[in-house]
Structures are given as C-alpha cells and as structure tokens.
C-alpha cells in the first residue's frame, strides 16, 4: 500500500521541469517584465578609458533633455556616503567614480528619465574630462616597480598587490622534491572568461516614503545577502527592505555580487520617490560584471619513476581587476584553490598565491565554480597529464595509481580537506570502456597515416561543493547555512520555501521531489517558492552548487519534522500509541495491522480539525541546515578529438562523462546540468575568453568577439553514472551543477595535447583556437597566455 515513489514524482523520478510550463509559453517573470506604476528608467554612463583621472563632469546638458528626472554623479553619491561600497572580499568598490576611473566600463554617472531611450540619449550629453593614466592589463605589469598605482584611494596600499597567501607544508614538500626521481613542471594560464547569462543584471528599486519600505526587484542569486548588505550600506532598517528575485535568466555566479547599478537605482528611487528600473545591456554586462578565472600557474610535481606523485608545489598569480570583489565565502584568499589534487593520495603539498589589481573589471570569479575550484582542477589535470607524458606512463594508469582508494575514506588531503566518499577507479573504468580506450592507440596510429592527429584527453576530479559549514565559511560574517520552510495545508497540498535561489537549475521541480520522498505528498501537490526575502526563510543563496548539499538537505530535514508531528496526529487518529506506529511512503499504519492506517493527507486534515489534546494546531515548520562537511562529487570526463594539421581545427569525435553526484534526485535534471556544464567547458576550451589590448580596451565586449557555442558547434556528450551516496547528507546527495564546467576543460586540452605529443608541444593555453593550434604544430612550441598579451610579455 506504500506509494510508488516514481509515480508520485519522488526521488529518482525524471520528473519534467514544472517551471518550463511558464518558460516555454513566454510566461516567465524576469525583472524586466515587471512594470510598476509611475516607474522611471535609469541608464549608466560608463568610462571609455581603462585608467584615467576625472578632471570634471558636466551634467548640465543632460538635465536639459525633456523627460530627465535626475542625473547622479559620484560627487552626489559621496554627499550621501554612497560613492564607495564594501565588496564581499572586504575591499571597497566605487559605485560612481569620483577621483578616477580604473577600468573600461566603470560606472561614472547615471541618468533617470521617463523612458530608457531618453535616459540613454541624455547619458550621451554628459561631458567627462579625463586625463589618461598608464594602463595595466595583467599582473606581471602590475608587479613592476614602476607600475602606476591603481588603488591610490586606499591607505596602506603602496603597490598593486592585494595579497600574498600560502598553505601546506613547505619544508615537507621541499624534501619530497629533493627525493624525487623526476620533477615535472608546467606553466599555465586559465584565461579570463565571463558567465554571460542570457538575462543581464538589473533592478527596480521602489522606495515608499509613506511606509518607509524599500522593495527592490533584482537579479540576485543571493537575495538575503543583498538585504543585509543594503541595510549596511544604505543604513536602512533590515525589516524595511524587501528584496525580490523573480525568475533569473541564468546566473552562473554572475548574479552574486552587488553591482553599482543596484545601489544607484536605490538612491534614485529614494530621491525621486518613484520606482526606478535599471536594465543593463549586453555590453555593460560583459565589460563590468563578475568575470571568472584569470589565473597564472607555475606547477611542479615530484614523481617517483613509476608515476607515484610524492609532492605538489604550486604558485598562482591572479588578476582581480580594479577592486578585490571576489564573491567567495572563505577566509582563504584564493578561494578553494587548495582543493586541488583532492582525488589523489598525495603525502605533501605547498601552494603559494598572490593577487593583483589591474585595470580590468572586478568581481565575481566563481563562474559556475566553487571559488577557484575550476582553476584548481584544471591545473591539477593538466599537471597530471604532463607528468604522465614526461615519464612515458599511460595517462589512465597514472591516475589509477594515485587515486584515493574506495576503502581509504574519509581521507584528509595534503591541504587539509576531508573527502568522505567515492569510487574513483570505477568511474574511470566506465569512462575508458565507453571511449574505447583499449583500441585507441591503434586507431591513433592509423589516423596518423592518413595525416590526421587523434588524441584522447582524460580529466578526473573530485571537487568540494556545498559551502558551509558555518565554522569555516561566512560572507561578511554571516554563516553559511541554509533553510527551508514547509507548510502543509489541510488538504495535504503544501508550499515549500527555501533560502536558495533558482536560476534555471529546476529547484521548483526537484525540491518538491524531496518532499515527496520524505512525506509521500505527490510532487505535483507541492509549490516551491524562493527569492522573496519577505516570505522565504533566511538563506545564503545559490552559487557553487550549494543548493542541493545545503538547502536540499534543509528540505529533507523540515519534511522529517513535519512527519514527526504527523506521527503524533496519526497515533491519535488510529487510537494507538506513537510507538505502535510504522511509516511507509505516504502513510502511517498500526504495526500489528498493516491495513489500519492513515495517509499523510488524513493527518494534514486532522492538524486543522481533529487534534490530540495539547498538540498545537497546523502542520508547518522550518529547518536551518548547517552541513557538517562539503560534499565531494567525482567526475571522469574523456574527450576523443581529431586535429586537422593543415588548419589547426580540432573536432570532438566522442565525449564521455561519468559523474558520481551521490543519490540523484532527478536524473533528467542532473543530466541537463552536466550537458550545460560540458557546453561551457567546451566553450572555454575552444573559443570563449576575454582579453584586453594594451590600452585596456576589453576584447570580448560583445557577441562578435565573445563567442558562445551554439547547438551547431557543441559536440554530443555521452553520459554515465556512478552513485556513491554522501555519508553526511540526509538523502545522500552531492552537488552537480558545476562539475562539468569545472572538470570538462582539461579533458579537451589534454586531448589536443595527446594528439600533439609527438611534436614536443606540451601546452596550448585556452582558448585552443585553430590558429593557436596551427602555430603550435608549425613551430613545435607551446602557446601560452592570451592574445594579444602572451605569458612573460
Ligand atoms: O546550487 P545549484 O542548484 O546550482 O546546484 P546543485 O545543488 O548541484 O543542483 C542543480 C540541480 O540538480 C538542482 O535542481 C538539483 O536538485 C539537481 N540535483 C539532483 O537532482 N540530484 C543531485 N544529486 C544533485 C542535484
């Protein structure tokens, strides 16, 4: 009589995404769809220069444009103590520039007008006199003794260096290197890229002077954090601030930071006492909002001649742009970079990192990534491949030899993380089998005879998903837990609210499945709401694939609280004691008589109509979940590619993905996450990057230069699964959202390197555009850095 879990859309059901009913009908509700009575429109004037002193700003002509209601400059913001705001990494960032501009696209002034076109036209009438300053576009220029000082606004900032940081055992690592048979070295650059969500950033600020309440509709992956930050920056009482994130057209980390546009629209609404809408254009989004990566690596592996890794030494230099605005919740200056090599059993490691200001856009950094794990895993997998090639060892074998074994969990990594579960070798074996690894060498030789270069690239990794726990992770002191609130109505239908924020991952679908799994209430009977700080319980938002590990766990926990109360009601209805009651999906029954039972819906009705004495009416509760550890999904990605040596064009012949994200709530949604992630991985490996010319002009400011792969370019992906439940998650799930973006790029690059092994080329930095591959083939030399600036220039 227990319900069929798949039929009610519980765990394991590939339930169709309920949100798509609205999206495919064009009934999504994005910020730009919202129209409020009397709403004004705001446009931001951005700097054309990357580094320049502002000599004067003349806004008089803009004021004269009919329909203009307000023109704001940095000076006016400063008069209200709002010219600068704190960043999530304890730095400051200009809201509207006062002293100088520090990157191309920086916000200089804003016009608020009756319609967006008037605001845009009026922006053109603002005259800014700039005095050009020397421009710095990479950290190597930044560290020169003669380099212009970018942050001359700050006390105690005599150079462009933001931080020096290190972790690991330096002496132990030195000893391991001294004892090594071979040291394999590699220098890499992970280029700057941009999440580029379909929907740009935007906000509608609506300040009501009569009630004193500020409502802001905005594109935020973390509305509660925004509420706390607005309370701090704008000095408004927190209970008088309501942040609403409606549907988000993609986030990928781009919608975590707080951007100047949000702050300016809030002040504009306070001053005009009218709602003010700001919607960024695509170029504004690409040149000024949170980017990803831009890290240089010097990596070394100490190796025994049979391939055993004895020690890891890494030095990273990161380019943070003009303000240190990484949206990451750890005390580690370079995020979770030291999660690198977590899948491998390595005795000792040492990482040194330094970060620099440059005249480039700030912020973000976690593009579908847990705070630098993308770089960490990319560097790891490129170093492992180089080591295999240096020693002449099979690239699968070196991984197998060094993996943490199934019986060795929990495993403390050399950098101090605790990984707790996995079947790494099983995943690898499934991948190798699927790609046809055993016959590949022969295939490769035959192809060479035809003048084609074949290569296989493997990328295996475990990555930490689901920040907190709250002891080690916080944002501006706010601890990294998450929450869920469940209210079961008397008919047994329910509404669930969480502190997470969906941006396309399908939370409305999958959270209801967890409730169905725990309570037997069909998923279709559960409405899921997120993103409104007036109604959702406090949560830290969605990024770094933390929703399932943290908010998803809270959903399970709150459902269990509901079940515990329903059990008391069931005992009352069945006239037995609680101890005599058993649970099966959707139903309590008397242990001695399976036929005598009540459904969860019966209990819901009784919660409002027929309660035992002393029990509080209603069936609702909330849960705050503080995860004991991060979750550690594992992935094995294998690409088989073919290069045309005449052109440098490389095609993906086959791509195999084996993912272990623990128990899958919705296999179809998980597969969608992997497909999307792999598409972004392919984009970064093949075509997608942002660079800057020597004047700091952003190349990649539009979709002619910043290339997104369409269905035409994107290869097909074959997906396989392994399930190793997470031991500490209530339903055994691990995160999945970003795994493929994190682990995918190295598979493509390793495949191209494998195809070129015989030429002596050891590295081509991403993006591996055909001209770069062609040049490597022609010269037999590595291709490093990003055009036009090469590593070492
Ligand atoms: O934090 P974010 O939602 O970006 O990432 P996630 O927690 O990895 O989840 C992405 C989507 O995959 C959500 O809809 C999850 O519920 C779903 N998922 C799943 O069905 N099973 C898992 N083991 C992990 C995620």
């Amino acid at each position: 009589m227990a319900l069929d879990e798949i039929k009610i859309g519980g765990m394991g059901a590939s339930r169709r995404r309920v949100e798509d009913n609205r999206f495919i009908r064009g009934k999504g509700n994005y910020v730009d769809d919202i129209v409020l009575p009397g709403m004004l429109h705001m446009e931001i004037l951005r700097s054309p220069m990357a580094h320049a002193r502002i000599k004067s700003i003349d806004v008089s002509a803009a004021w004269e444009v009919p329909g203009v209601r307000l023109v704001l400059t940095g000076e006016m913001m400063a008069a209200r103590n709002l010219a600068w705001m704190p960043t999530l990494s304890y730095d400051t960032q200009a809201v509207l520039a006062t002293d100088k501009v520090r990157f191309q696209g920086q916000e200089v002034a804003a016009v608020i007008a009756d319609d967006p076109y008037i605001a845009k036209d009026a922006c053109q009438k603002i005259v800014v006199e700039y005095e050009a300053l020397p421009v710095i576009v990479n950290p190597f220029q930044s560290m020169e003794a003669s380099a212009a000082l970018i942050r001359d606004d700050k006390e105690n900032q005599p150079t462009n260096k933001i931080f020096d940081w290190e972790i690991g055992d330096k002496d132990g690592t030195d000893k391991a290197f001294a004892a090594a048979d071979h040291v394999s070295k590699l220098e890499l650059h992970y280029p700057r890229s941009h999440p580029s969500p379909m929907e740009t950033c935007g906000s509608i600020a609506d300040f009501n002077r009569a009630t004193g309440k500020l409502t802001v509709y905005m594109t935020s992956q973390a509305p509660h954090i925004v509420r706390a930050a607005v309370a701090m920056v704008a000095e408004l009482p927190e209970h008088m601030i309501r942040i609403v994130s409606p549907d988000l057209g993609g986030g990928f980390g781009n919608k975590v930071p707080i951007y100047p546009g949000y702050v300016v629209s809030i002040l504009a609404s306070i001053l005009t006492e009218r709602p003010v809408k700001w919607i960024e254009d695509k170029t504004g989004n690409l040149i000024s909002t949170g980017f990803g990566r831009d890290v240089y690596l010097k990596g070394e592996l100490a190796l025994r001649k049979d391939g055993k890794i004895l020690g890891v030494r890494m030095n990273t230099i990161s380019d943070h742009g003009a303000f240190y605005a990484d949206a990451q919740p750890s005390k580690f200056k370079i995020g979770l970079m030291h999660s690198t090599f977590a899948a491998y059993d390595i005795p000792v490691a040492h990482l040194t990192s330094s970060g620099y200001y440059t005249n480039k856009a700030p912020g973000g950094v976690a593009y579908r990534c847990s705070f630098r794990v993308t770089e960490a895993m990319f560097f790891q997998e490129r170093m492992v491949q180089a080591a295999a090639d240096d020693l002449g060892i099979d690239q699968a074998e070196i991984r197998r030899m060094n993996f943490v074994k199934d019986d060795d969990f929990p495993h403390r990594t050399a950098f101090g993380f605790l990984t707790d579960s996995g079947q790494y070798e099983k995943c690898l074996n499934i991948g190798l089998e699927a790609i046809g690894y055993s016959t590949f060498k022969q295939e490769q030789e035959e192809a060479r005879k035809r003048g084609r270069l074949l290569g296989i690239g493997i990328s295996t990794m475990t990555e930490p998903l689901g920040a907190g726990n709250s002891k080690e992770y916080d944002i501006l002191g706010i601890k990294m837990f998450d929450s869920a609130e469940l209210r079961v109505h008397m008919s047994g239908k329910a509404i669930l609210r969480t502190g997470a924020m969906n941006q396309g991952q399908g939370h409305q679908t999958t959270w209801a499945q967890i409730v169905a799994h725990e309570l037997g209430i069909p998923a279709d009977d559960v409405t899921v709401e997120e993103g409104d700080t007036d109604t959702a319980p406090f949560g830290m938002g969605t990024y770094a694939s933390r929703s399932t590990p943290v908010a998803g766990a809270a959903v399970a926990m709150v459902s269990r609280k509901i079940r515990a109360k329903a059990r008391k009601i069931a005992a009352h209805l069945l006239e037995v004691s609680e101890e005599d009651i058993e649970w099966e999906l959707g139903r309590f029954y008397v242990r001695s008589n399976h036929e005598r039972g009540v459904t969860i819906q019966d209990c819901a009705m009784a919660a409002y109509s027929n309660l035992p004495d002393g029990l509080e009416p209603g069936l609702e509760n909330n849960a705050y979940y503080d995860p004991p550890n991060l979750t550690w999904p594992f992935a094995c990605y294998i690409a088989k590619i073919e290069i045309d040596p005449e052109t440098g064009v490389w095609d993906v012949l086959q791509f195999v993905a084996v993912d272990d994200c623990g128990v899958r709530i919705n296999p179809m949604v998980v597969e969608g996450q992997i497909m999307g992630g792999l598409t972004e991985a392919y984009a970064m490996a093949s075509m997608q990057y942002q660079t800057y010319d020597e004047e700091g002009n952003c190349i990649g400011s539009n979709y002619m230069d910043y290339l997104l792969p369409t269905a035409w370019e994107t290869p097909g992906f074959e997906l396989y699964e392994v399930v190793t439940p997470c031991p500490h998650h209530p339903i055994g799930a691990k995160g999945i959202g970003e795994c493929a973006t994190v682990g995918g790029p190295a598979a493509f690059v390793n495949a191209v390197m494998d195809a070129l092994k015989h030429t002596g080329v050891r590295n081509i930095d991403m993006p591996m555009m055909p001209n770069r591959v062609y040049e490597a083939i022609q010269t037999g030399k590595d291709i490093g850095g990003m055009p036009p600036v090469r590593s070492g220039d």
Side-chain angles (χ1 to χ4, degrees), residues 4-163:
D4 178 333
E5 176 152 4
I6 299 298
K7 279 200 181 134
I8 64 162
M11 294 258 294
S14 283
R15 180 177 184 233
R16 286 192 181 195
R17 289 166 30 112
V18 289
E19 39 277 86
D20 291 346
N21 278 335
R22 293 189 295 111
F23 295 150
I24 60 173
R25 289 176 163 86
K27 298 287 182 197
N29 181 37
Y30 300 93
V31 170
D32 203 17
D33 292 323
I34 297 169
V35 177
L36 299 181
M39 189 169 76
L40 300 173
H41 298 264
M42 182 176 105
E43 178 68 22
I44 288 177
L45 178 72
R46 298 181 181 280
S47 166
M49 317 270 288
H51 199 193
R53 199 156 296 287
I54 297 176
K55 295 184 76 181
S56 64
I57 304 181
D58 181 355
V59 295
S60 50
W63 271 108
E64 278 163 23
V65 176
V68 168
R69 304 289 169 164
L70 181 67
V71 184
L72 282 170
T73 60
E75 225 170 81
M76 294 163 78
M77 301 295 287
R80 290 159 182 88
N81 212 14
L82 285 173
W84 291 82
M85 62 180 181
T87 70
L88 296 174
S89 282
Y90 301 93
D91 193 6
T92 47
Q93 175 172 356
V95 178
L96 293 180
T98 47
D99 51 343
K100 60 181 192 176
V101 288
R102 293 173 171 82
F103 68 94
Q104 185 185 58
Q106 187 176 338
E107 300 79 0
V108 174
V111 174
I112 292 88
D114 288 343
D115 77 39
Y117 308 101
I118 297 173
K120 213 173 184 96
D121 287 348
C123 267
Q124 304 304 316
K125 307 260 180 204
I126 298 174
V127 181
V128 186
E129 204 186 334
Y130 293 105
E131 180 188 303
L133 295 168
V135 173
I136 293 170
V137 292
N138 68 43
F140 305 102
Q141 295 173 341
S142 240
M143 61 179 81
E144 280 169 18
S146 59
L149 185 62
I150 295 172
R151 295 301 304 275
D152 49 356
D153 57 291
K154 291 179 78 175
E155 281 176 21
N156 307 322
Q157 183 65 55
T159 69
N160 292 319
K161 185 181 273 192
I162 306 171
F163 62 79

Side-chain angles (χ1 to χ4, degrees), residues 505 507 510 545-548 661 663 665-666 670 734-737:
Q505 299 94 328
H507 293 177
T510 52
S545 296
R546 66 184 297 277
S547 305
T548 303
C661 61
V663 175
I665 303 161
N666 183 323
V670 168
K734 306 174 183 183
I736 186 64

Side-chain angles (χ1 to χ4, degrees), residues 506-557:
H507 293 177
Q508 269 119 14
T509 308
T510 52
W511 293 167
Q513 293 185 245
I514 300 176
V515 176
H517 170 72
E518 294 290 337
L519 291 175
I521 296 176
D524 285 345
D525 290 351
V526 183
T527 302
V528 176
E529 266 185 24
E530 293 178 339
D532 184 337
T533 58
D534 265 11
T535 52
F538 188 93
M540 296 300 275
T542 289
Y543 35 86
S545 296
R546 66 184 297 277
S547 305
T548 303
V550 195
V555 175
M557 298 314 275

Side-chain angles (χ1 to χ4, degrees), residues 641 650-652 655 676-688 709-710 712-715 717 740-741 744-745 748 766-768:
I641 62 100
W650 53 278
D651 288 321
V652 179
F655 194 100
L678 288 175
T679 305
E680 286 178 313
Y682 173 70
M684 279 178 256
S686 62
M687 62 180 82
Q688 185 173 291
T710 65
W712 177 256
E713 291 89 15
T714 306
F717 305 116
T741 320
F748 294 108
M766 296 187 291
M768 298 181 300

